[in-house]
Amino acid sequence: MDKIRTRYAPSPTGKMHVGNLRTALYEFLVAKHEGGDFLFRIEDTDQGRFVEGATDLIYRVLKKTGLEYDEGPDKDKGNGPYVQSERVKSGLYMKYAKMLVEKGEAYYCFCTKERLESLRTPVNATAEDDEDNKDVKEVRKYDKHCLHLSKEEVEANLKAGMPFVIRQNIPTEGTTSFTDANYGTITVNNEDLDDMILIKSDGFPTYNFANVVDDHLMGITHVVRGNEYLSSTPKYTRLYHAFGWEEPVYIHCPLITNEEHQKLSKRSGHSSFEDLEEQGFLPEAIVNFMALLGWSSGTDREIFSLKELIEVFDYHHINKSPSVFDMNKLRWMNGEYIKAMDDKAYIEHALPYVKKVITKPLDLEKIAMLVKTRIETFCDIAEKIDFFEELPEYDTEMYVHKKMKTTKESSLEVLKDLLPGLEALNDYSIAGVEAFLMNYIAEKGIKNGQGLWPVRTAVSGKQMTPGGAYEIMEILGKEESLRRVRKAIEMLEK
Ligand code: GLU
């Protein structure tokens, strides 16, 4: 078999939607699993949808996620340019469109906007009809009016400089079939397909045309797409056949939905790589999660590095039914990745989040390390460490703990007992504080909780804290720990 070649072909129209990222990842894995090539091509022929900066963003995401491409705009291996707007300049798409005109598989259309508006047969929504592109939904099935122009009429119109588009000529009878690796053989009635535009009036190809030409010229063997493209695929099939080119293997992936089983929309707040990054998720965890969003390894195992995914990823195990974006699962997974990070990398990543909350001269690295195994995303850090910056207002009811066997009175007694010793203590390291407190507990003959609960409550003002009294006091230091214990005594005496 020839070497597998896949491509990621995004349109620079904004943030990197998770569906696009999943496509990129699967394209990468399909190729790498078989030692093939992964290409990166920018599909920017729809100039109206172009968003400034979106291309840079795609590069950034590919880099961050480790989806290294073998060929791309900045890695030309002789199949370039890899940016469609640059390919347009060579007249490439026009040349191929004209070849189809010659074969009777396409035709010039000179219809005015007004005439097209007057056509009233709606066609099924196409893949390009997303929420940002509502106008496309207005497209009507074209009535082949210009197919019937004579050769002379066409030439005269072209000579007169009349604006034109080139349309695919789809038979009105019969059927078209293609086979998808995931969804099997799909057959549609040709009468349900419209004569889609191949070349637009601005001379640019449509995405629908350019992707076929480019995939062929770039030797693409496998095409991974979201299943919203299934309805357009028969038209691509007809183009491949019209040219006499071999079709790639199509691998359509299931829709990604939110937990309410609706299409994951931009409004969900976590529909793009950037959203997730902002919410404190690690690129590695996002990649791992994306891999399982529509594919399973066939085992219970869920944690896979990109390298491991390359080994195990078999596209025959992509699911057909919609994949639910389970935020809790992503959070859990991210927590596992955080725990597994080496401390240096973790601290580097966590410090900016710590600095957002802590302005006092405390040991920020220690604070970061204290929460390492206790967070699921980096954004959880703030809420876990805020008490270091400032003792929160709290209710003395917190000293009452059934399991710890503490009451307000017993807590007050413990804190008052401890205060002189804490004032005299100079070693506020974890070991120092531990030795002091455990000594007191042993002397008093009380349970650990009876001694430690009041102290931890006093120095944190919180019911739940990362680390116990020793860790917290080491970070706060002597002065602040004492201030908090005194404050607790004052509150409990009221
Ligand atoms: N440019 C298309 C997109 O961004 C690519 C679809 C495809 O993979 O063919 O959705």
Side-chain angles (χ1 to χ4, degrees), residues 7 9-11 20 23 27 41 43 128 207 211 215 223-225 229:
R7 88 300 192 269
S11 302
N20 285 333
T23 299
E27 296 265 12
R41 177 175 80 223
E43 304 206 320
E128 298 275 275
Y207 154 74
N211 90 86
D215 283 348
V223 167
V224 181
R225 290 191 179 112
Y229 282 95

Side-chain angles (χ1 to χ4, degrees), residues 211-225:
N211 90 86
V212 169
V213 172
D214 288 345
D215 283 348
H216 170 73
L217 294 178
M218 294 181 177
I220 300 304
T221 60
H222 292 62
V223 167
V224 181
R225 290 191 179 112

Side-chain angles (χ1 to χ4, degrees), residues 222-242:
H222 292 62
V223 167
V224 181
R225 290 191 179 112
N227 69 5
E228 67 272 27
Y229 282 95
L230 274 174
S231 60
S232 307
T233 306
K235 297 185 247 181
Y236 307 151
T237 291
R238 296 202 65 85
L239 289 174
Y240 279 102
H241 291 179

Side-chain angles (χ1 to χ4, degrees), residues 351-377:
L351 274 187
Y353 293 86
V354 174
K355 284 185 186 154
K356 266 193 216 154
V357 184
I358 309 289
T359 60
K360 303 231 163 95
L362 299 175
D363 188 332
L364 303 183
E365 294 194 4
K366 245 184 213 162
I367 294 179
M369 283 309 294
L370 198 59
V371 295
K372 186 179 177 203
T373 56
R374 297 174 165 100
I375 52 171
E376 290 185 323
T377 83

